Amino acid sequence: MPLVVLCGYPCSGKTRRAHELRDYLTQNTERKVHVVGDEIQGIDKNSVYSDSQKEKNLRGALRAEVERKVNRDDVVILDSLNYIKGYRYELFCLIKHTQTPHCLVYCLTSAEVSSECNKAREADSQYTQEILDGLVLRFEAPDSRNRWDSPLFTIQKEDALPFEAICDALFKRKAPPPNQSTQSQPLSSTNFLYELDKVTQDILMALLDSQKTSVPGDLISTPGATEKISFFHTFSIFTLVCALNFYLFSSVILLQ
């Protein structure tokens, strides 16, 4: 499903925008909409964002939840800070693997406005000022020139969401093509080992037979080859074929 990533300072209105977008998509499309975010994880924000390991675990849990829900049909909205550039790139790689579009909604506010909105919250849902200031300092603003931050919709507090433009980005735009790092590698054929062993044995038998009847300087043929080789080099070739066979066999076993 298409992915909408929200990002911004703490208390910048991300959850409100996520609900607005969810309601619009539910009323105007036939697609299911899933909202994934910090609130669903039931975390203590001050505890998590004051501990780098807990924060890393939270990002991993959110990414895993997105990965479970993402497909080509419905919509997933990720409602979290998403303030780390590298994390947004990980999400971009995820949607490339799924081959579905995505967009980024940046809720832009100043640090002062964010702080005021935080103070207006109920006490049990507020960030401490120290945690809020730290998150603001660590925030890596999105840049539309980066493919993982594009298409980018920057929304200020008083702006209305550009619903139609977001829908166009999600439903009318081609998904980014997968690259080698995000594609599943094809499995080897079931008879690959048999064929490898058969070809190798044919070559070895031809080299061993030539040693019985040839003298140094004679040209001998090997199965599958168009050019003849000098009998003088058969011993080194014999050793090379054995080593290559062992290497290929070991590689296939490890891949399986």
Side-chain angles (χ1 to χ4, degrees):
M1 58 185 71
L3 173 65
V4 181
V5 178
L6 289 105
C7 74
Y9 288 167
C11 308
S12 58
K14 297 181 297 297
T15 299
R16 175 170 66 91
R17 299 301 190 178
H19 292 168
E20 289 176 358
L21 184 57
R22 178 198 60 192
D23 294 343
Y24 177 86
L25 293 173
T26 301
Q27 296 171 8
N28 294 276
T29 71
E30 297 181 354
R31 298 172 182 265
K32 293 181 180 179
V33 182
H34 303 272
V35 178
V36 177
D38 294 0
E39 293 184 356
I40 297 176
Q41 297 294 321
I43 63 169
D44 180 347
K45 296 179 180 180
N46 290 306
S47 173
V48 168
Y49 288 112
S50 63
D51 185 317
S52 59
Q53 185 58 49
K54 289 182 180 179
E55 185 180 344
K56 182 179 180 180
N57 293 340
L58 172 63
R59 290 197 299 271
L62 292 173
R63 186 187 184 283
E65 185 67 18
V66 169
E67 189 170 10
R68 280 193 292 268
K69 295 181 180 300
V70 74
N71 60 43
R72 300 185 185 182
D73 298 322
D74 303 326
V75 179
V76 174
I77 301 174
L78 179 56
D79 173 23
S80 187
L81 294 174
N82 299 315
Y83 68 92
I84 299 175
K85 177 171 56 178
Y87 182 61
R88 296 197 296 268
Y89 178 74
E90 289 182 20
L91 296 171
F92 176 71
C93 291
L94 189 155
I95 63 102
K96 288 188 72 174
H97 176 71
T98 313
Q99 297 185 40
T100 186
H102 93 303
C103 71
L104 187 70
V105 177
Y106 176 25
C107 298
L108 178 61
T109 59
S110 66
E112 293 75 16
V113 170
S114 178
S115 180
E116 290 300 319
C117 292
N118 181 55
K119 294 175 182 178
R121 290 184 169 188
E122 296 181 2
D124 59 352
S125 61
Q126 289 183 10
Y127 294 89
T128 65
Q129 192 62 43
E130 181 182 1
I131 295 296
L132 188 144
D133 291 341
L135 290 171
V136 168
L137 287 175
R138 298 200 300 271
F139 186 82
E140 297 175 338
D143 185 342
S144 61
R145 293 173 294 183
N146 297 327
R147 60 189 185 280
W148 56 88
D149 287 337
S150 179
L152 174 64
F153 300 95
T154 302
I155 311 298
Q156 296 189 0
K157 186 177 180 180
E158 63 277 5
D159 293 340
L161 276 176
F163 294 113
E164 292 186 2
I166 292 175
C167 287
D168 288 345
L170 296 178
F171 308 133
K172 296 182 180 181
R173 191 171 60 90
K174 290 184 179 181
N179 53 29
Q180 187 174 2
S181 64
T182 60
Q183 283 185 300
S184 299
Q185 298 300 314
L187 297 175
S188 60
S189 61
T190 55
N191 63 341
F192 173 75
L193 287 178
Y194 169 78
E195 293 176 355
L196 172 65
D197 183 65
K198 184 177 182 302
V199 171
T200 305
Q201 290 300 323
D202 289 344
I203 295 174
L204 292 176
M205 290 305 298
L207 295 177
L208 290 173
D209 289 342
S210 69
Q211 290 181 333
K212 300 176 183 178
T213 59
S214 302
V215 296
D218 287 351
L219 295 178
I220 62 174
S221 300
T222 55
T226 57
E227 296 184 4
K228 294 184 178 182
I229 60 174
S230 171
F231 177 74
F232 181 77
H233 299 295
T234 55
F235 180 77
S236 59
I237 293 175
F238 175 82
T239 305
L240 176 62
V241 170
C242 290
L244 179 60
N245 184 41
F246 176 77
Y247 171 75
L248 291 175
F249 183 82
S250 301
S251 298
V252 171
I253 294 299
L254 289 173
L255 288 174
Q256 292 177 341

